[in-house]
Amino acid sequence: MLREFGGPLALAEIARPVAGPGQVLVRVTASGVNPLDTKIRAGRAAHARVHPPAVLGMDLAGVVAEVGAGVTGFAPGDEVYGLTGGVGDLQGSLAEYAAVDARLLARKPESLTPREAGALPLAVVTSWEALVDRARVTAGQRVLIHGGAGGVGHVAIQIARARGAQVFATGSPRSLRTIARLGATPIDYTTTPVEDYVAEHTAGEGFDIVFDTIGGATLDLSFHAVRRYTGHVVSALGWGTHSLAPLSFRGATYSGVFTLMPMLTGHGREHHGEILRAAGALADTGALRPLLDPRPFTLATVGDAHALVENGTNNGKVVVSL
């Protein structure tokens, strides 16, 4: 439990939640750790609207313990996963049990372990909203993903490839091998200027879709990398002040993604469940699988899990097992 921003996450006893109308009580088996979780803990994520004391953890995998009134499609014993809490007034997944809105859940893909399923929800929903809902990626398009080995980026590569796109991804030298293993063409952003990789990979025309998972200066570079007239830039971190002139001069378009909105407002939660069901089908065909850091973490060592994500030394998604 988070008692104050900037403080440690402490073990605490809380009352077992009860599934209310439209809710499912889930016995949590895994909780993925995202960079946003660490920002929430530090008090640097006002958009998540958390008020301590609070149970953190957005990603969840677990087993249905009971269903509330009006819930259909789930029954006790079902294995589920979802992006379900840890923001606003929604209890997070770093607990033995969580009562969550059934609309935010989907059945766990049969081919994935609980740890793998617990690593996916935020990354899957963010990537799907960006590439499918906003940019409408189709077969044959050239897609550039900034941060291709990151938690969102590595999932985005797989989703774009599953829809038939030709995928390119930027990364640091140590991440290029991972990007290539995922089936994307790696681009070392530390040594290759945007003009050079646009010329090399698109004959100077620009990429059909550019997905920015980094924000800041990377979003500005995206405006220079997108295809003239028909290109589209989409960002999950477009929160700064940016000049739209480079985008306008190319006649391209832009949209942003705010994945937390359905959780914070209650509107559009059904679509999160729809995305997770579609992603689960991809996973069961072998087209989608998360990269996991092999180190084990439990509720007793969740502070170490957060520290690993904060210092950026994790090798894949960090997951806490319960």
Side-chain angles (χ1 to χ4, degrees):
M1 175 173 286
L2 177 68
R3 299 198 181 279
E4 61 179 3
F5 289 127
L9 295 175
L11 287 173
E13 291 283 342
I14 61 174
R16 173 171 160 168
V18 175
Q23 291 186 324
V24 171
L25 181 67
V26 179
R27 178 171 58 80
V28 183
T29 55
S31 174
V33 180
N34 300 284
L36 179 54
D37 291 300
T38 69
K39 291 181 174 67
I40 292 171
R41 194 196 79 245
R44 294 186 285 111
H47 62 287
R49 305 177 197 168
V50 172
H51 304 286
V55 177
L56 301 188
M58 294 180 288
D59 287 338
L60 169 150
V63 180
V64 174
E66 63 184 51
V67 297
V71 173
T72 59
F74 296 108
D78 288 344
E79 292 185 287
V80 294
Y81 76 135
L83 176 63
T84 59
V87 299
D89 60 356
L90 302 178
Q91 182 206 305
S93 54
L94 288 173
E96 293 175 316
Y97 288 90
V100 305
D101 190 325
R103 295 174 294 175
L104 296 170
L105 291 173
R107 297 285 186 92
K108 180 186 77 66
E110 293 183 2
S111 61
L112 300 186
T113 67
R115 290 187 73 241
E116 289 173 323
L120 277 177
L122 178 64
V124 158
V125 174
T126 302
S127 298
W128 195 278
E129 288 187 341
L131 292 172
V132 181
D133 294 344
R134 305 290 191 276
R136 303 198 180 279
V137 60
T138 58
Q141 289 184 312
R142 289 188 178 95
V143 175
L144 173 66
I145 296 168
H146 287 301
V152 173
H154 86 280
V155 169
I157 287 174
Q158 295 176 77
I159 289 174
R161 292 192 70 241
R163 296 180 73 87
Q166 184 181 2
V167 184
F168 305 80
T170 61
S172 64
R174 76 182 187 99
S175 69
L176 300 182
R177 185 174 297 178
T178 297
I179 289 170
R181 191 167 70 247
L182 290 167
T185 298
I187 298 170
D188 184 348
Y189 75 89
T190 68
T191 61
T192 311
V194 61
E195 296 83 3
D196 289 358
Y197 62 72
V198 168
E200 178 182 357
H201 299 299
T202 73
E205 288 297 315
F207 297 90
D208 297 295
I209 296 169
V210 182
F211 180 25
D212 161 44
T213 72
I214 307 297
T218 301
L219 178 53
D220 293 309
L221 291 175
S222 300
F223 297 154
H224 293 273
V226 70
R227 187 178 182 89
R228 293 178 179 86
Y229 298 117
T230 59
H232 188 79
V233 176
V234 59
S235 178
L237 290 168
W239 301 339
T241 300
H242 302 271
S243 171
L244 295 179
L247 185 74
S248 298
F249 289 150
R250 300 182 78 85
T253 56
Y254 168 81
S255 62
V257 171
F258 184 33
T259 309
L260 305 184
M261 190 181 298
M263 301 162 71
L264 294 171
T265 67
H267 299 296
R269 290 183 176 180
E270 296 89 349
H271 189 47
H272 275 203
E274 293 167 355
I275 291 171
L276 290 165
R277 286 191 290 275
L282 279 185
D284 284 337
T285 68
L288 175 63
R289 188 165 296 272
L291 302 177
L292 296 186
D293 188 283
R295 283 163 281 199
F297 296 96
T298 65
L299 285 179
T301 58
V302 68
D304 296 331
H306 270 231
L308 189 63
V309 173
E310 282 181 303
N311 63 35
T313 55
N314 53 304
N315 185 23
K317 189 70 175 283
V318 173
V319 179
V320 176
S321 297
L322 289 90

